[in-house]
Amino acid sequence: MAGILDVPKPRINCSMLSQYLNKAVCFVGCVEKVHPTGKTFSVSDGEGKSATVELNEPLEEELSGIVEVIGMVSNRGAIMATTYNMLRDEKGIPFDMELYNEALKVIHDFPQHYPFEVAASG
Amino acid sequence: MSVTLTQGAVEALFKGIEVNNPVLQLLNIRPIISQSGPPRFRLMMSDGLHSLSSLLLATQLNHLPEENLLVPHCVCVLKKTATNTMTDGRRVVIVIDMEILQSADETGGKIGNPTPYNADGKTSSPQKVSSSSSEPSSSPSAAAPGTSSHGRGFTKEAPMKTSPVKFSPSKFSPSKFSPSKFSPSKAASASPGSSTKVVPIAYLNPYVSKWTLRARVSNKSNIRTWSNSKGEGKLFSFEIVDESGEIKITAFNNEVDKFFSLVEQGKVYYISKATLKVANKQYSSLKNDYEMTLHAHSSIVPCDDSQDIPTVHCDFVPIAELENKDKDSIVDVIGVCLSAEDVSRITTKTSREVSKRALNLMDTTSKMVTVTLWGEEAEKFDGSGQPVVAIKGARLSDFGGISLSALFSSTVMVNPDIPAAFSLRAWYDQGGYAVDSQSLTEVRSSGSGITTNWKMLSDVKSEQLGHSEKADYFCCVATVLYTRKENCLYQGCPSADCKKKVIDQHNGLYRCEKCNREFPNFKYRLLLSANLGDFGDNQWVTCFQETAEVLLGHSAETLGQLRDTDEAAFDQVFQKANFTTHIFHNRVKLETYNDESRVKVTVLDVQPIDHRDYSRRLLSNIRKMAN
């Protein structure tokens, strides 16, 4: 767990998964379906596409709404989660997935203005 | 002395064959009373051989029977006639001009022994004529001669080209006896067809005699009652639409009972027999010169085959063109709902509570406008997923520059099943969402009504804001860096609306120079100096009572008390205000005081940040800068 927290974890959506195979990422999405075993669930991003999240241990709580997952992208494009946290609605303002997606695109379109890698390692 | 009747004239007239000035004897004459309009006289005439009862006197000749000139057994010559064929095949002869040749007395009695002439050769007893009531005969679809007519075309210069004259089967024809300008084409199409021939709404006008519509109810109002000097009544109205257009239909009193529960919004019906009249534009914004009123003989039948009937007929105005429209005009708009505020409840001037919700619509013109929904519509609106929203009959308002408001009569459709919606959705999904939209509605914050002019703090200096003759107004997102607690409170005049500082007379009284009075007390008022900062610059600003109270989160009175009683708590208030971020609406002006000029910024309003709105603005600016 310690290892992954020290490296930069770019925020991505489903379309970017393929570019980050075997890399550490941060994925924010809306929980769709939780597998009965509780060890895996699907999330959808701001563009409506879905990804699978796999956990080491089965879920101990009800997972719903928007969740932020930090983990490694597997070879098959699933996210092996190290940790996650549910983003609760603050003051009744819902999380705007589409807006988040727009921000993601900006970050990836202009990496020169968003040097996260440098900041993280510094 | 004896006049000769033109034998064979009846047969010829009936068959529509030209007869020149036939001489006929009047056997019987019967008035037909109509609810509106002059009475019509039905004539039974004989040529000595046959008699014909399907003759109608043109209303301009009404004076003849009314003055007792045209009485049974008198002999007359028909100088001008016209023959009209009803949709069921029967013929009616209109007598447009006639002369009495010989009075009844002179004639002495019935000439000859005429037999009634009928198209199918069946003889019918003469009593048939007199027994026909003024009600339309059993086949209501036929424009039976028994019904009233408008007297269309019965003017002196009437079309003597033998174009058939029109009858209206409706009893409630417009009471004005006005000559119609009728086009022969209309006459042609009014001729025989099946009695359920469907016509397009665009075809309707008061001069069309028979029609059936097949249309969908696009809007239905509630029942409204009224009571005025003429009495009381109730009405409801609904609008129908088909491929050709739309029209408004109103039902009064009895018809309300009959039709209100039958007519349902969204369903398609066959409608026939209603009164057409010129539309009262005051009550309707539909695009039709006419509107209809239902009457006792109106027929509304549900129709199962509703394909081809559009669900709604809208004339969408591109959002960018709303600027060119007049205030208060009624428009239809369609756009993608980029965002919708939460529903809020407000109290109106009449102390009524109502729900309202504002949404932002954008269309392919890349312009955005704010639309306000009210009541139930506001409550049940769901703007998730950025749906396509179409609104029919919204009112354009100049609130915040340009904005739209849904009226009681408006129809709001979310993701409607119309082509305009599909093409808008396609445009948006394929790239429209990235377009930075410019809103025509300038008000962003909850009803502050202040125009927004977004700036960064560094712009104050770089753009030399406030240096011109007039003050400049701008708004910005900034963080409170410091609030000066010293000298933030002053003793103000206790009278309402007076903010002047009072002078302590040190005798327990405080004097206000402006009110020219002394008071035993004062009101604490805030005058706060604060330093705001953003990523690029900082700026000293002054906040008066209202804005200071928002920033500090306490009233001036409370703070006044706190300062005297609990200094630590007082200091805390100011600490807490630091590093809070808000939207500030400011006024900036270059002021000169004793040879020194300084740019002074006053905070007019403080609003919490709407993060989504802010994000969108930033994204839009980023994209703009990237291009």
Side-chain angles (χ1 to χ4, degrees), chain B residues 266-325:
Chain B
K267 293 225 171 106
V268 181
Y269 300 88
Y270 286 113
I271 300 173
S272 52
K273 291 206 283 274
T275 311
L276 262 289
K277 57 176 185 164
V278 173
N280 185 341
K281 289 293 181 183
Q282 198 189 352
Y283 292 121
S284 170
S285 60
L286 288 193
K287 285 158 199 66
N288 198 320
D289 290 334
Y290 303 108
E291 55 184 356
M292 297 205 278
T293 307
L294 299 177
H295 56 73
H297 291 277
S298 298
S299 148
I300 300 186
V301 174
C303 167
D304 288 319
D305 173 24
S306 59
Q307 65 188 58
D308 304 338
I309 311 280
T311 43
V312 71
H313 187 90
C314 286
D315 247 334
F316 295 118
V317 175
I319 292 179
E321 277 174 46
L322 288 176
E323 291 177 298
N324 303 329
K325 292 264 173 195

Side-chain angles (χ1 to χ4, degrees), chain B residues 424-437:
Chain B
L424 195 62
R425 174 100 260 151
W427 166 82
Y428 185 75
D429 291 339
Q430 283 156 25
Y433 61 89
V435 167
D436 60 275
S437 56

Side-chain angles (χ1 to χ4, degrees), chain B residues 122-153:
Chain B
K122 276 205 294 261
T123 59
S124 49
S125 71
Q127 272 109 5
K128 262 246 173 101
V129 175
S130 38
S131 65
S132 69
S133 61
S134 53
E135 300 301 292
S137 53
S138 53
S139 53
S141 56
T147 58
S148 70
S149 152
H150 311 192
R152 274 293 83 85

